[in-house]
Amino acid sequence: MTYNFDTIVNRKNTSSLKYDFGLERKGRDDLLPLWVADMDFSLPEEILQTIKERVDHGIFGYTDPKEDYKNSVIHWYEKKHNWKIEPEWITVTPGVVYAISTAIRAFTNPKDTILIQQPVYYPFSECVLDNDRILVNSQLKYENGKYSIDYDDFEKKIIENDVKLFILCSPHNPVGRVWTKEELERIGNICLKHNVLVFSDEIHCDITYKSVKHIPFASISESFKNNVIVGTSASKTFNIAGLQVSNIIIPNDKLRKVFKQENAAAGYSQANVLGLVGTKAVYDLGEAWYTQLLAYLEENLKFVRDYLEKEIPQIKLIEPEGTYLIWLDCSALGLSSEELEDVILNKAKLWLDRGAIFGKETSLFERINIACPRSILKEALERLKNAL
């Protein structure tokens, strides 16, 4: 099968967070949105047919994952990431962010300190602060257009603040790093040394470029495996976030028991029936579509790279190793953060994610979602060029 990712699907008037909430969130309804992390690609018919068959059954009662569901998850991660997951390690939740908040409540107390690495996915800080914990940041180093970990600062922040939990973003959103085994080993060993539990958000693990490979944190060593909660989902890979199913992988029996208790305390039990059906379907039937998606995203990335170099050289692409969320350094434009937002929102009429929401030091950056038909991407970049 060959799939056409150039097809434009009208998502307006579907209660789409991406397309239908410009007026409520940004004050205008004429924006071209390339912000939130979902894709503008529909799933192939063979997957939709599986979901339709379940809809045609007509009954949507309480549903739990059976062995065949877990086997589909296990097979995907073993084949794609060389990581063997045991069925009992899997706990289904309605989302990875939900699981982060659950882990925060399960493994820390109010006013405990939790570490993140900004610029990073902004719900991390929201989960920490909304649960009455103290947020500590170890800023990633930005040098020569690339991000890296400041290990000295990382360990210093842990010691000085008595950090209890570290939320790792791997691959990293928004800077696009796919951490190497050596990088993960260094931060993992620091966490072990200081008795810091790791929550590894690996939701973007399937979207990597060129020869870069994602390394599951739990696969590195037995000690890492026993000191981590891993957040996974098919939602980013196959665009099924609205089906609200994530698979939280916890190899350590004691940690898993505590997590499940907190999950139950939150009142969550059975998962979304169509989420379970959809997740199993995409893992069982979606490999060809996924392979062609990666190739299309590579071409979209090349299009952005070439366009910026030729037409807007003041904007610097931070070359991503993974994710379809591209990080742009706009500091050379000579605009303030407010002026940059005015250009993007009111002149270009674009809805992007402002760098300031990922951390105060990146207010002159923008995050752009390239998981859309190339014609939409071209229009967005032309709007930006003309506005500037």
Side-chain angles (χ1 to χ4, degrees):
M1 294 287 292
T2 299
Y3 305 102
N4 184 2
F5 293 93
D6 287 319
T7 301
I8 295 179
V9 179
N10 183 6
R11 299 184 61 189
K12 293 181 179 179
N13 301 315
T14 63
S15 296
S16 163
L17 184 64
K18 189 175 186 178
Y19 278 87
D20 288 334
F21 287 84
L23 193 61
E24 292 89 336
R25 292 194 171 215
K26 304 300 281 188
R28 56 190 312 157
D29 60 3
D30 56 352
L31 301 173
L32 183 62
L34 294 94
W35 65 289
V36 71
D38 72 11
M39 299 191 280
D40 291 336
F41 308 127
S42 61
L43 283 169
E45 184 57 35
E46 58 267 27
I47 291 173
L48 295 177
Q49 185 58 36
T50 300
I51 299 172
K52 289 172 185 175
E53 288 172 3
R54 185 63 185 82
V55 170
D56 289 343
H57 181 262
I59 297 175
F60 308 101
Y62 296 118
T63 309
D64 263 337
K66 295 282 283 183
E67 184 179 356
D68 59 345
Y69 171 89
K70 293 187 176 182
N71 285 341
S72 296
V73 176
I74 290 165
H75 177 72
W76 181 268
Y77 278 87
E78 188 168 18
K79 185 174 183 179
K80 297 300 177 188
H81 304 292
N82 196 30
W83 182 29
K84 182 67 168 71
I85 296 170
E86 298 297 333
E88 63 271 16
W89 297 356
I90 300 172
T91 298
V92 174
T93 75
V96 171
V97 172
Y98 168 92
I100 291 172
S101 278
T102 302
I104 287 171
R105 292 190 299 274
F107 301 110
T108 68
N109 296 311
K111 306 304 180 185
D112 276 350
T113 304
I114 297 172
L115 183 69
I116 63 173
Q117 294 172 304
Q118 290 180 331
V120 75
Y121 182 51
Y122 45 91
F124 284 10
S125 58
E126 293 171 354
C127 287
V128 173
L129 298 173
D130 288 346
N131 280 292
D132 193 27
R133 272 60 172 177
I134 297 171
L135 183 70
V136 173
N137 172 43
S138 178
Q139 189 79 11
L140 294 175
K141 291 193 291 187
Y142 178 53
E143 299 171 319
N144 302 316
K146 187 171 182 176
Y147 282 87
S148 61
I149 298 167
D150 186 337
Y151 300 103
D152 291 337
D153 182 72
F154 184 82
E155 185 165 22
K156 181 182 178 185
K157 292 288 175 60
I158 287 174
I159 294 170
E160 290 181 347
N161 297 281
D162 190 24
V163 168
K164 303 299 185 185
L165 176 69
F166 164 51
I167 308 175
L168 169 66
C169 199
S170 177
H172 194 282
N173 166 21
V175 309
R177 282 299 317 279
V178 177
W179 306 115
T180 65
K181 183 179 180 182
E182 291 71 26
E183 288 172 315
L184 293 171
E185 284 177 334
R186 288 192 67 176
I187 58 173
N189 284 325
I190 291 171
C191 288
L192 286 174
K193 178 181 176 182
H194 299 288
N195 197 31
V196 175
L197 181 63
V198 178
F199 189 107
S200 185
D201 178 355
E202 302 186 13
I203 198 169
H204 293 278
C205 64
D206 295 320
I207 309 296
T208 60
Y209 298 111
K210 299 174 184 174
S211 59
V212 177
K213 294 291 184 183
H214 168 74
I215 306 294
F217 185 87
S219 71
I220 294 174
S221 71
E222 190 71 15
S223 55
F224 283 17
K225 184 179 79 172
N226 284 307
N227 191 51
V228 68
I229 296 97
V230 182
T232 76
S233 177
S235 61
K236 294 295 179 279
T237 311
F238 291 99
N239 206 34
I240 57 171
L243 295 184
Q244 293 207 318
V245 163
S246 292
N247 297 297
I248 311 308
I249 316 301
I250 312 174
N252 184 305
D253 292 342
K254 292 181 179 179
L255 294 180
R256 187 168 63 253
K257 181 179 179 181
V258 173
F259 181 88
K260 284 189 168 185
Q261 286 175 336
E262 184 59 41
N263 189 41
Y268 183 76
S269 53
Q270 282 71 37
N272 179 334
V273 54
L274 294 184
L276 294 175
V277 171
T279 297
K280 183 178 180 346
V282 296
Y283 282 150
D284 288 349
L285 305 172
E287 183 164 5
W289 184 89
Y290 160 72
T291 301
Q292 292 176 43
L293 166 71
L294 288 183
Y296 193 86
L297 291 175
E298 288 261 19
E299 287 301 313
N300 271 3
L301 177 58
K302 182 179 185 301
F303 178 82
V304 172
R305 184 190 300 117
D306 293 345
Y307 191 99
L308 292 178
E309 287 178 357
K310 182 180 178 182
E311 304 291 346
I312 324 175
Q314 303 96 324
I315 296 180
K316 185 173 187 177
L317 168 68
I318 308 306
E319 194 65 40
E321 298 165 338
T323 87
Y324 52 75
L325 305 166
I326 307 305
W327 193 230
L328 303 178
D329 182 351
C330 303
S331 57
L333 291 171
L335 303 174
S336 68
S337 177
E338 291 72 22
E339 289 169 337
L340 178 62
E341 175 70 357
D342 181 60
V343 166
I344 289 171
L345 188 67
N346 298 314
K347 295 185 173 65
K349 296 181 182 178
L350 294 175
W351 188 355
L352 309 182
D353 267 334
R354 298 181 68 182
I357 65 177
F358 299 92
K360 62 183 180 180
E361 295 191 25
T362 50
S363 62
L364 296 178
F365 286 70
E366 295 285 337
R367 192 187 77 171
I368 180 171
N369 181 347
I370 65 168
C372 60
R374 199 157 300 132
S375 59
I376 292 178
L377 197 55
K378 181 182 180 190
E379 180 182 349
L381 292 174
E382 287 179 345
R383 286 191 186 194
L384 181 57
K385 173 193 170 185
N386 293 335
L388 287 167

